[in-house]
């Protein structure tokens, strides 16, 4: 079953119980069924039936010993994020199948209530947390049995943050619409990945990319995974996939920038276009 199909089958009550279990994860890896009964203020049999359905849909994992308890699966978190985005009126439609399955994410297309076409990116990988402030890390510790899911949340947050900053200064990145948990909603870019293009006006693509890099580096934001795979070419060319961005102030950041610029300049060089690598390096130095 697809995510939307499952979501559409769930009742308000079932969603509420799923949220209760999520809250229970602050204390428990497997949330005791007894506690779910108490917190939901529903009858024992009702809770059993709701949990049976949530389990059947693959949203929960069971543990029997030393007590009967439940843990939310990745699909369970997907459902909770969809629900919150729905309630906040950021999303009404989601495609039944993903448009992209990367190693770090699953991306669907969707629509906002006003009919705006969006990409919905479910983060599956975590950004290396070592880059983050102590405040984040101490929050992470509280969730130690949920480290993996929490890292995907950080990853979504990091991507939303970068998109917001860069879009805010007119850079060509998808407009960020919302994020919740491990999910980012952004404008859908009608385009094709740069690596798939053979004959094209590569000079025009490069001009857009360099302009966006100038803006990002001016903000002290280094992409960290820049390549022809993360550039979408439509009427204009957009840089996507920002969760692993690195602050220019970060020690060794220039290693990442060097790799980014090498990836991109070697691609364009093969297609007869020069990238002003030195100028971009200088902007990063100043943005530090
Ligand atoms: P990953 O880390 O999995 O590579 P990406 O952000 O690159 O994540 O997204 C994976 C794929 O989903 C992209 O290669 C692209 O085809 C598609 N995609 C991502 N964001 C958008 C978007 N805003 N508009 C259209 N397609 C997108
Ligand atoms: Mn990518």
């Amino acid at each position: 079953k697809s995510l939307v199909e499952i979501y559409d089958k769930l009742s308000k009550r079932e969603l509420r119980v799923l949220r209760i279990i999520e809250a229970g994860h602050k204390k428990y890896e497997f949330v005791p069924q007894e506690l779910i009964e108490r917190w939901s203020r529903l009858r024992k049999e009702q809770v059993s039936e709701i949990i049976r359905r949530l389990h059947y849909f693959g949203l929960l994992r069971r543990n029997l010993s030393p007590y009967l308890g439940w843990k939310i699966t990745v699909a369970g978190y997907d459902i909770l994020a969809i629900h919150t985005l729905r309630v906040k009126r950021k999303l009404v439609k989601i495609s039944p199948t993903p448009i992209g399955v990367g190693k770090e994410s699953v991306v669907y297309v969707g629509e906002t209530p006003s009919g705006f076409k969006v990409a919905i990116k479910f983060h599956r990988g975590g950004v290396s947390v070592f880059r983050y402030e102590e405040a984040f890390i101490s929050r992470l510790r509280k969730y130690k049995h949920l480290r993996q899911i929490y890292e995907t949340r950080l990853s979504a947050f990091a991507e939303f943050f970068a998109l917001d900053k860069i879009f805010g200064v007119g850079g060509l990145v998808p407009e960020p619409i919302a994020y919740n948990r491990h999910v980012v909603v952004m404008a859908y870019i009608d385009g094709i990945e740069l690596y798939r293009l053979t004959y094209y006006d590569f000079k025009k693509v490069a001009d857009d990319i360099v302009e966006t890099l100038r803006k990002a580096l001016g903000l002290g934001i280094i992409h960290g995974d820049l390549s022809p795979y993360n550039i979408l070419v439509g009427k204009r060319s957009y840089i996507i996939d920002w969760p692993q961005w690195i602050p220019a102030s970060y020690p060794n950041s220039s290693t990442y920038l060097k790799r980014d610029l090498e990836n991109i300049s070697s691609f364009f060089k093969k297609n007869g276009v020069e990238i002003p690598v030195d100028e971009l390096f200088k902007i990063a130095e100043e943005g530090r």
Side-chain angles (χ1 to χ4, degrees), residues 5 12 16 62 64 94-95 119 155 162 169 173 179 205 214 240 252-254 285:
E5 279 178 303
K12 279 229 167 78
R16 192 164 74 81
R62 178 175 56 200
L64 291 168
I94 304 180
S95 59
S155 174
V169 295
V173 297
Y179 76 94
V205 177
R214 281 196 188 104
I240 61 166
N252 278 330
S253 70
S254 59
E285 294 274 276

Side-chain angles (χ1 to χ4, degrees), residues 225 229-230 240-241:
D225 190 21
Y229 288 83
N230 285 330
I240 61 166
D241 203 359

Side-chain angles (χ1 to χ4, degrees), residues 102-105 121 223 225 227 229-231 240-241 244:
K103 51 186 184 340
E104 307 280 284
S105 77
K121 181 172 175 181
H223 186 285
D225 190 21
S227 78
Y229 288 83
N230 285 330
I231 291 172
I240 61 166
D241 203 359
Q244 68 293 310

Side-chain angles (χ1 to χ4, degrees), residues 35-47:
L35 268 184
I36 303 168
E37 285 161 6
R38 204 183 312 152
W39 288 340
S40 64
R41 290 198 230 98
L42 295 168
R43 281 185 291 111
K44 249 180 147 89
E45 311 78 72
Q46 284 177 312
V47 172

Side-chain angles (χ1 to χ4, degrees), residues 24-42:
H25 282 318
K26 286 193 179 128
K27 269 206 176 135
Y28 300 92
E29 177 169 13
F30 287 93
V31 183
Q33 179 142 349
E34 225 188 298
L35 268 184
I36 303 168
E37 285 161 6
R38 204 183 312 152
W39 288 340
S40 64
R41 290 198 230 98
L42 295 168

Side-chain angles (χ1 to χ4, degrees), residues 13 15 27 30 49 53 69 89 201-202 236 252 285:
R13 226 177 222 183
L15 287 163
K27 269 206 176 135
F30 287 93
E49 176 56 18
R53 293 237 315 153
R89 300 186 47 77
D201 185 355
F202 288 108
R236 307 293 301 270
N252 278 330
E285 294 274 276

